[in-house]
Amino acid sequence: MEQTLSIIKPDAVAKNVVGKILDRFESAGLRIAATKKIQLSKADAQAFYAVHNQRPFFNDLVEFMISGPVVVSVLEGENAMAKNRELMGATNPQEAEPGTIRADFADSIDANAVHGSDSLENAKIEIDFFFAQRELC
Ligand code: GDP
């Protein structure tokens, strides 16, 4: 059974659509193995997005990710990583397929509602970043 990491970003948490987004995952057959609402520190956000630290949007991305609480979850199921990416839609909500989370809940490429691991290798790293083994059940 595959596991992947999801983050409901500060824009979607502020819009009060956490339940609606979690429902998308469950309705698509993914199980929530763990979930929690947390406020990231600047160091957390910089470490989590370290892979992007040379990109021009890095500082904006970090500031956005600490602008309010996020909801981090571990989603579990068959093809969980790819299935979550499909449910999320394209990074830029203007390019996201109708019916995807980003098309329905995101406003811009910065404030794009959700994060999802983009490979199984990254999923493991990202899950370990946020959750202890005993939280996954
Ligand atoms: P994702 O896997 O679809 O989230 O996309 P990436 O891993 O490529 O980028 C990580 C995050 O950085 C995205 O979700 C956006 O919030 C942000 N981002 C990516 N590209 C851009 C960009 O060109 N401009 C800005 N402002 N933010 C971006």
Side-chain angles (χ1 to χ4, degrees):
M1 218 31 117
E2 245 178 64
Q3 290 186 332
T4 192
L5 185 91
S6 158
I7 305 179
I8 302 178
K9 295 186 179 183
D11 58 320
V13 174
K15 282 183 185 167
N16 215 20
V17 292
V18 170
K20 286 191 172 123
I21 293 176
L22 292 178
D23 178 57
R24 300 279 175 111
F25 303 141
E26 291 188 328
S27 295
L30 296 172
R31 201 180 70 80
I32 297 166
T35 193
K36 59 188 173 189
K37 186 179 188 184
I38 56 175
Q39 171 66 53
L40 297 179
S41 68
K42 194 165 196 169
D44 289 332
Q46 286 170 333
F48 184 78
Y49 278 117
V51 58
H52 292 310
N53 67 11
Q54 298 306 314
R55 309 280 283 274
F57 58 82
F58 181 68
N59 286 337
D60 288 345
L61 176 59
V62 167
E63 290 303 322
F64 169 64
M65 290 301 288
I66 66 173
S67 66
V70 298
V71 173
V72 288
S73 305
V74 177
L75 307 178
E76 188 177 275
E78 222 171 281
N79 300 318
M81 189 277 292
K83 200 179 265 184
N84 181 40
R85 297 286 305 183
E86 203 179 305
L87 293 170
M88 287 163 57
T91 308
N92 183 346
Q94 257 79 58
E95 292 163 12
E97 291 288 320
T100 60
I101 294 168
R102 282 169 167 164
D104 291 346
F105 299 115
D107 297 323
S108 67
I109 195 163
D110 303 77
N112 63 359
V114 279
H115 164 85
S117 309
D118 63 2
S119 70
L120 283 182
E121 192 191 352
N122 284 340
K124 189 180 168 0
I125 295 167
E126 293 178 358
I127 290 168
D128 289 346
F129 185 88
F130 285 112
F131 292 96
Q133 198 56 43
R134 67 175 178 283
E135 294 179 280
L136 307 176
C137 48

